[in-house]
Amino acid sequence: MEMDPAAITTPKIKTENLNFFYGGFHALKNINLNVHEMQVTALIGPSGCGKSTLIRLFNRMSDMTPKTRAEGKIMFEGGNIFDAKTDLVKLRRNIGMVFQKPNPFPKTIFQNISYGPEIQGCKDKDFIYHRVEESLKKAALWDDVKTRLHSSALGMSGGQQQRLCIARALAVEPKVILFDEPCASLDPISTAKIEELILELKKNYTILIVTHNMQQASRVSDYTAFMYLGNLIEFGQTDRVFTVPKDKKTEEYLSGVFG
Amino acid sequence: MNSLKERLIKYAFTAMGYLSLLLLFGIMAVLFIESRPAVKELNILNFLFGPQWRPARTPAEYGILPLIAGSLSVSFGAISICVPLGAGAALYLNELAGETQRRVLKPVIEILAGIPSIIFGFFGLVAVAPFLQETFNLPVGVCLFTASIVLGIMTIPAITTICEDALSFVPRSFKEASFAMGANRWQTLTKVTIPAAGSGICTAIILGIGRLMGETMSVLMVAGGAAVIPKSIFSPVRPMTAAIAAEMGEAARGSMHYSALFLIGLVLFLITLALNILSEHISKKYRLKLGQGR
Ligand SMILES: Nc1ncnc2c1ncn2[C@@H]1O[C@H](COP(=O)(O)OP(=O)(O)O)[C@@H](O)[C@H]1O
Ligand SMILES: [Mg+2]
């Protein structure tokens, strides 16, 4: 039996009648979505349905794309993130992001992680070192790299690079982490490691993950949102959405009729 | 696939490729052959580090230290002008200018890069030199300072273009990662974009120095021409290229002076070759470094 999701956990982020436009193109249509605290929410749907567009709104990375416009609200910690008085720096520290392709900086492993604390103005070397170690441990990377912290991050494998990017995001102590298809460029073993990590991180962070891969959604998420052509078609607990989808489109998508 | 026509085309292009190689070796051979008497006759250390360049005197003195000092001082003077301005312009174009501004400014800068150097020399002679002479109350307006300004301005477009390329080579994903962590534009620029473009910018500077060392026309016009080691930024100087260009006409073919000028050419060639190899080396490393981050 499905329980009302809102009754179980509180929403950490809440979109209210959210619309988004690329120039004249209406990419997101009236989205009302709750992202629950300390839970993993998966965003699924066919390519081009607006998953990346939506996830990039939560930390306002969408600001970087010119000629775009958002309508509606995204409520986070009591405020609408589109408010003029929103502190973007603070918002992005609270809501971290891991991208589709691993994108470590062309710096050392250590410098990649210390970047976050450093741009926050932290100068205490011990503190930074401690934070680097802690972040790498949380990302299950410490044992792999502790002997080569000062070698280039670009010498790591793809899966390690992606975990480094996760560690980098963790180093600024976010509350929410957004993942946009984090395993899209990884092999199955690395993918399994990232999934394991996400399940571990769930204990302390609110997670929103875009994925192309339905099995992945069913493995890692508590809630699933299915999107189609810019609409949020269905939202609910993952078990329920996957076993008894309410919408015909969801059912078709999950059974592989289109994708 | 193997039609005669295609084979012929292939041979034609191969021939052209090897022709340029042949020409290069030919030029090098001429440099070596013509400079041989000077290498044999003059001690190479005395030649390179001799403080007097007096080929017309008897006995003649062939020390090119003043000429090397002239080339280096003009190059570094020019670099200290064109690097900040050129790199600054590149940063502006890449980071701050809007799409429309960039569309206008980039081609304009590229056109500027195509202006013949004699025009810059002309501008130095009629505009910069008299102005400096008056302002600083100098005996002559053509000097190290004037040459640095003229060559510096002349090289801005080249530096801007290469730096801009280096900056636009920096994958967008690096900047996104930085912004997504709450970095502001300035932090992203100084801590991510510029370091990632750093070796490209170094390449630009080294190539710039090489080009400056080889520049002849404008230094002949505005550097002042005195073959002495400069004592101040207002000393007239005679860079290596200017010495060759000015003296080749008067040096009797086959004379020691003639051969010494070829040896200067050889030294210059080796310097620019070394600079080119260095910049190639750096940019190769740079490509490796950014290769995976895209
Ligand atoms: N920068 C952009 N400019 C214009 N249209 C875009 C841009 N980015 C994405 N779109 C369009 O918005 C829609 C949603 O894209 P996206 O959010 O990337 O989909 P998804 O991540 O679900 O594959 C697509 O139709 C895409 O073509
Ligand atoms: Mg996407």
Side-chain angles (χ1 to χ4, degrees):
Chain A
M1 276 305 293
E2 185 181 21
M3 288 178 283
D4 177 9
I8 308 164
T9 50
T10 43
K12 185 74 181 167
I13 308 179
K14 204 172 163 159
T15 76
E16 293 175 11
N17 300 327
L18 181 65
N19 284 279
F20 189 77
F21 302 85
Y22 288 109
F25 176 65
H26 196 172
L28 294 178
K29 298 168 188 160
N30 224 36
I31 307 282
N32 288 287
L33 173 73
N34 290 344
V35 179
H36 292 274
E37 191 157 22
M38 305 294 177
Q39 302 282 309
V40 178
T41 302
L43 270 178
I44 61 168
S47 188
C49 69
K51 305 181 296 295
S52 297
T53 303
L54 177 59
I55 203 172
R56 288 168 66 89
L57 275 166
F58 291 117
N59 60 349
R60 289 201 24 204
M61 284 304 279
S62 51
D63 288 12
M64 285 181 72
T65 316
K67 302 198 182 83
T68 57
R69 183 164 54 91
E71 283 170 8
K73 291 181 182 171
I74 297 181
M75 301 304 293
F76 173 68
E77 301 200 324
N80 177 6
I81 68 160
F82 295 123
D83 274 353
K85 65 172 197 288
T86 299
D87 179 354
L88 262 192
V89 168
K90 217 173 128 206
L91 177 73
R92 288 171 178 170
R93 275 175 205 169
N94 278 324
I95 305 185
M97 184 168 228
V98 175
F99 295 82
Q100 185 162 343
K101 256 191 103 185
N103 58 353
F105 299 128
K107 298 172 183 276
T108 66
I109 293 170
F110 186 91
Q111 287 167 338
N112 263 277
I113 315 288
S114 66
Y115 184 74
E118 273 164 14
I119 57 171
Q120 291 182 8
C122 178
K123 296 219 161 59
D124 183 344
K125 287 224 157 52
D126 289 340
F127 177 86
I128 290 178
Y129 184 87
H130 188 75
R131 179 65 66 79
V132 168
E133 179 176 343
E134 189 185 58
S135 306
L136 284 168
K137 279 180 175 159
K138 281 187 196 164
L141 198 58
W142 176 251
D143 289 330
D144 293 16
V145 301
K146 64 185 173 196
T147 56
R148 52 181 175 121
L149 289 177
H150 298 289
S151 53
S152 171
L154 299 182
M156 308 165 87
S157 73
Q160 287 177 325
Q161 288 190 7
Q162 194 63 303
R163 276 184 284 153
L164 182 73
C165 292
I166 295 172
R168 183 175 64 184
L170 295 177
V172 292
E173 307 205 300
K175 295 171 183 158
V176 180
I177 309 173
L178 309 171
F179 289 87
D180 188 354
E181 300 200 40
C183 305
S185 63
L186 304 182
D187 60 85
I189 294 173
S190 307
T191 300
K193 280 190 180 160
I194 302 274
E195 287 180 9
E196 202 181 306
L197 182 57
I198 287 172
L199 289 173
E200 184 63 32
L201 292 173
K202 192 179 96 172
K203 293 174 189 161
N204 299 302
Y205 303 90
T206 301
I207 291 171
L208 185 63
I209 177 173
V210 167
T211 175
H212 216 77
N213 177 331
M214 286 172 271
Q215 284 74 37
Q216 181 166 68
S218 71
R219 283 191 298 260
V220 302
S221 71
D222 303 292
Y223 293 95
T224 294
F226 171 63
M227 292 180 67
Y228 185 64
L229 297 177
N231 291 295
L232 176 62
I233 303 288
E234 183 157 358
F235 176 74
Q237 284 182 293
T238 299
D239 293 343
R240 202 276 298 153
V241 172
F242 275 75
T243 48
V244 277
K246 287 177 183 163
D247 194 279
K248 203 166 145 281
K249 267 272 168 285
T250 316
E251 190 179 344
E252 282 174 10
Y253 180 71
L254 292 174
S255 59
V257 175
F258 66 96
Chain B
M1 273 301 275
N2 267 340
S3 74
L4 182 67
K5 198 174 146 198
E6 276 186 34
R7 281 221 307 273
L8 282 178
I9 291 175
K10 192 181 145 204
Y11 290 142
F13 280 112
T14 313
M16 284 180 222
Y18 279 99
L19 184 65
S20 52
L21 203 66
L22 206 70
L23 280 172
L24 176 69
F25 280 114
I27 290 170
M28 279 171 65
V30 169
L31 276 181
F32 276 109
I33 292 166
E34 296 285 4
S35 59
R36 235 181 96 82
V39 176
K40 264 175 136 177
E41 206 60 35
L42 313 167
N43 177 320
I44 192 72
L45 285 179
N46 286 345
F47 180 76
L48 286 176
F49 301 109
Q52 304 290 354
W53 177 254
R54 286 173 180 155
R57 288 256 185 108
T58 31
E61 288 180 77
Y62 298 105
I64 63 166
L65 193 63
L67 311 184
I68 294 178
S71 284
L72 288 179
S73 56
V74 171
S75 298
F76 284 100
I79 279 290
S80 57
I81 292 170
C82 69
V83 166
L85 292 178
L91 281 176
Y92 177 76
L93 276 180
N94 194 268
E95 291 289 328
L96 301 170
E99 197 50 46
T100 16
Q101 281 187 62
R102 190 169 15 232
R103 259 210 306 273
V104 176
L105 286 175
K106 258 204 107 168
V108 169
I109 289 175
E110 270 149 26
I111 291 170
L112 218 58
I115 294 177
S117 66
I118 190 139
I119 304 218
F120 282 95
F122 197 64
F123 150 79
L125 211 53
V126 301
V128 183
F131 173 77
L132 290 179
Q133 189 169 12
E134 251 173 58
T135 317
F136 297 101
N137 204 9
L138 305 172
V140 284
V142 285
C143 61
L144 169 56
F145 194 46
T146 314
S148 299
I149 291 177
V150 171
L151 263 70
I153 293 174
M154 196 168 106
T155 317
I156 289 174
I159 299 278
T160 304
T161 309
I162 309 180
C163 285
E164 217 272 327
D165 285 349
L167 288 170
S168 57
F169 238 56
V170 175
R172 204 186 137 80
S173 64
F174 292 168
K175 294 182 213 172
E176 283 202 324
S178 173
F179 284 121
M181 299 187 68
N184 58 33
R185 259 171 110 162
W186 176 247
Q187 290 169 325
T188 304
L189 187 65
T190 54
K191 296 190 173 197
V192 176
T193 312
I194 292 178
S199 24
I201 293 172
C202 282
T203 311
I205 294 169
I206 294 169
L207 283 177
I209 297 177
R211 202 174 293 187
L212 288 166
M213 298 276 275
E215 171 53 31
T216 308
M217 212 52 236
S218 50
V219 290
L220 195 59
M221 291 169 81
V222 298
V228 288
I229 295 169
K231 290 191 182 61
S232 83
I233 56 167
F234 297 117
S235 306
V237 290
R238 172 174 288 219
M240 292 189 275
T241 49
I244 300 173
E247 295 167 27
M248 200 45 121
E250 67 202 40
R253 208 189 151 100
S255 68
M256 187 50 61
H257 186 192
Y258 180 83
S259 180
L261 290 177
F262 270 95
L263 190 51
I264 298 177
L266 185 61
V267 170
L268 193 60
F269 174 75
L270 292 177
I271 293 175
T272 46
L273 186 71
L275 289 172
N276 275 325
I277 291 173
L278 184 65
S279 73
E280 185 64 26
H281 179 74
I282 293 177
S283 74
K284 208 179 273 165
K285 262 169 97 177
Y286 160 70
R287 255 173 263 142
L288 277 182
K289 208 166 115 183
L290 293 187
Q292 294 179 50
R294 295 196 169 218

